Amino acid sequence: MGGKSLCLLIAVVLIAYYLYSPIPENVEDRWKLMFISAAFRTVGHVATLAENLGLAHHMEILMMITSMELTAPVSDEKVTVMDTEFNGVPVRLYLPKGQPDSLRRAVIYIHGGGWCVGGSAMEPYDVLSRWTSERLNAVIISVEYRLAPKYHFPVQFEDVKTVAKYFLQSSVLKQYNVDPSRVCIAGDSSGGNLAAAVAQQLLDEPDVKVKFKIQVLFYPALQTIDLDLPSYQDNENMPILPKSLMLRFFSEYFTTDIALNKAMEANQHVPPEQSHLFKFVNWSNWLPEQFKKGHVYTSPKHGNSELGQKYPGFLDPRAAPLLADDIKLRGLPLTYIVTCQYDVLRDDGLMYVSRLRKVGVPVVHDHVENAVHGALMFITSPFILNMGQRMTNNYIDWLDKNL
């Protein structure tokens, strides 16, 4: 074999190895997802290399890539789109042009991205908000909260809460011709975390008279204290959100101190004095049997108290809504939760479904067997996935019937 042929063979083998991902056979658009996964891994490797060389923070590189998807607030014949601020927090506002005299529904939407990347102006979120506004004749408020690592918890939570409290004022709802009995809060991934946390916290705000009619949580991140759930073990290397990236997102939400990330990787970050919190995320009690798949529950090992004292945010229900007491959950509205089988965050959503139902909160649970995390991000060309389009349509149809 000649030298050129050998080089070509080696190149083909390396490309095939790099493109291949261990994606289960029943996942839709499997080959397309392999290429998407390869692109995501490439960006991740570049970010790691840049960080190791001291050129940039890991999340700065990821944000540079997601910034390529940012779109301008362009209006059309059906929806007026504008960038504005609600009480100092940037939002992208979608106002439908149909039926101007009728009271409208409204959705406060919070984007995902691990509290570190992404934005309301990214094309997939822009398209999702446009479709929702147009099809439901609804006002959509897409929140542009501040991001880590520049800003840490509770800044992201407070930004979303500020927008929600501002919009739920009677005078503001009247300004946008919104029916106060038909307002939803929704979000995906870390946005689902923020939506769930704000929905919980506003229950106890005496000055918030208008309450959410429903909440929608797409594959939400809901707890920070047991990072070795069956879904973390089974989906450790699945596309879009491998376990290593999720743990990095979690730690960056609270601090740039790499010690917290290392402790989370070992699942030894919860101080002994907070061990009572494990009951809220004991998956042996909260997961349906079919999701346990022979896993045996072992309580996470305790970490040292220093991390808990320095970064108490990861023990706060505002960052981990599954840590809320039952009494805090009882007043929540009708809830729609989407989980994906091949997702490290699958079990967070499943446990929240069980806990909410236990305290009497009505829950509609849509578990997607053949989907991976982040499906909602793949509804625009050239990265359109059937799972993302179907999830989007199901969401809008469900809103139409229940909001």
Side-chain angles (χ1 to χ4, degrees):
M1 180 182 291
K4 291 183 178 179
S5 297
L6 180 60
C7 289
L8 178 61
L9 177 62
I10 292 173
V12 170
V13 170
L14 288 175
I15 291 172
Y17 175 79
Y18 193 75
L19 283 178
Y20 178 77
S21 297
I23 301 174
E25 293 288 342
N26 69 324
V27 172
E28 276 191 289
D29 298 312
R30 187 165 176 266
W31 288 101
K32 187 184 294 187
L33 188 58
M34 281 188 185
F35 280 93
I36 294 173
S37 176
F40 271 66
R41 280 185 288 142
T42 299
V43 173
H45 293 161
V46 170
T48 299
L49 179 62
E51 186 170 62
N52 289 340
L53 293 175
L55 301 176
H57 189 281
H58 190 97
M59 297 304 167
E60 291 176 345
I61 300 298
L62 297 189
M63 192 62 194
M64 287 173 58
I65 302 301
T66 58
S67 295
M68 296 170 61
E69 288 200 78
L70 298 183
T71 61
V74 178
S75 301
D76 57 32
E77 68 277 4
K78 296 180 179 179
V79 181
T80 298
V81 184
M82 65 182 75
D83 288 339
T84 184
E85 291 187 354
F86 279 5
N87 204 16
V89 179
V91 299
R92 178 160 287 191
L93 189 61
Y94 299 79
L95 303 174
K97 294 180 178 179
Q99 306 174 38
D101 297 328
S102 62
L103 283 177
R104 298 161 170 164
R105 296 174 277 193
V107 178
I108 298 174
Y109 195 89
I110 304 108
H111 71 81
W115 308 277
C116 298
V117 299
S120 60
M122 289 179 66
E123 186 177 10
Y125 290 118
D126 182 69
V127 168
L128 176 64
S129 295
R130 286 174 185 274
W131 287 350
T132 309
S133 179
E134 175 187 328
R135 287 169 57 177
L136 302 185
N137 191 44
V139 175
I140 311 299
I141 304 95
S142 193
V143 186
E144 189 69 16
Y145 55 90
R146 288 170 287 180
L147 299 172
K150 185 175 182 180
Y151 301 98
H152 297 294
F153 173 83
V155 169
Q156 293 83 343
F157 167 83
E158 292 295 344
D159 281 353
V160 176
K161 181 182 174 185
T162 294
V163 168
K165 290 186 66 174
Y166 176 86
F167 185 71
L168 291 175
Q169 296 177 98
S170 297
S171 59
V172 177
L173 294 172
K174 185 176 181 180
Q175 176 185 346
Y176 293 107
N177 206 28
V178 170
D179 184 340
S181 67
R182 304 179 77 182
V183 182
C184 165
I185 188 167
D188 63 292
S189 195
S190 58
N193 166 284
L194 293 166
V198 168
Q200 287 182 7
Q201 295 300 312
L202 289 190
L203 293 175
D204 296 332
E205 296 279 340
D207 55 332
V208 179
K209 306 301 181 184
V210 176
K211 304 300 180 183
F212 293 120
K213 182 178 182 180
I214 56 178
Q215 65 172 337
V216 178
L217 313 176
F218 289 99
Y219 34 80
L222 297 172
Q223 62 87 29
T224 54
I225 64 171
D226 188 352
L227 304 177
D228 201 29
L229 303 174
S231 59
Y232 273 100
Q233 297 179 47
D234 295 342
N235 302 310
E236 180 176 4
N237 297 308
M238 282 294 158
I240 314 304
L241 189 66
K243 179 178 179 179
S244 59
L245 180 58
M246 187 64 235
L247 299 194
R248 184 67 187 268
F249 280 146
F250 265 139
S251 62
E252 292 289 343
Y253 188 26
F254 305 107
T255 175
T256 54
D257 183 354
I258 200 67
L260 180 59
N261 182 250
K262 294 297 184 183
M264 285 182 164
E265 288 177 349
N267 209 29
Q268 297 180 17
H269 54 291
V270 178
E273 57 269 25
Q274 300 295 331
S275 59
H276 64 282
L277 296 174
F278 288 139
K279 65 182 179 182
F280 294 125
V281 297
N282 183 334
W283 59 262
S284 66
N285 294 330
W286 300 114
L287 285 187
E289 287 299 321
Q290 67 266 32
F291 296 101
K292 296 178 182 178
K293 290 186 177 179
H295 290 277
V296 177
Y297 178 78
T298 56
S299 182
K301 297 178 182 178
H302 295 128
N304 62 57
S305 298
E306 183 180 351
L307 284 175
Q309 293 169 356
K310 291 174 67 175
Y311 315 114
F314 71 83
L315 303 169
D316 191 321
R318 294 175 300 166
L322 262 170
L323 302 185
D325 290 320
D326 285 356
I327 193 170
K328 188 78 170 182
L329 305 180
R330 289 195 178 104
L332 290 171
L334 171 64
T335 300
Y336 180 70
I337 295 179
V338 177
T339 55
C340 299
Q341 179 65 21
Y342 304 111
D343 179 8
V344 292
L345 297 179
R346 180 197 68 201
D347 293 349
D348 283 23
L350 292 173
M351 289 193 291
Y352 206 42
V353 169
S354 296
R355 288 202 57 205
L356 291 178
R357 285 177 173 166
K358 177 178 178 290
V359 299
V361 174
V363 180
V364 175
H365 178 212
D366 183 7
H367 180 68
V368 189
E369 282 284 348
N370 56 356
V372 299
H373 186 89
L376 277 183
M377 294 302 296
F378 303 103
I379 59 174
T380 59
S381 181
F383 302 116
I384 297 176
L385 297 178
N386 289 329
M387 67 180 82
Q389 290 185 313
R390 187 171 57 254
M391 197 176 291
T392 298
N393 288 326
N394 289 345
Y395 159 63
I396 296 176
D397 288 345
W398 189 85
L399 282 181
D400 195 23
K401 295 174 183 175
N402 293 278
L403 181 57

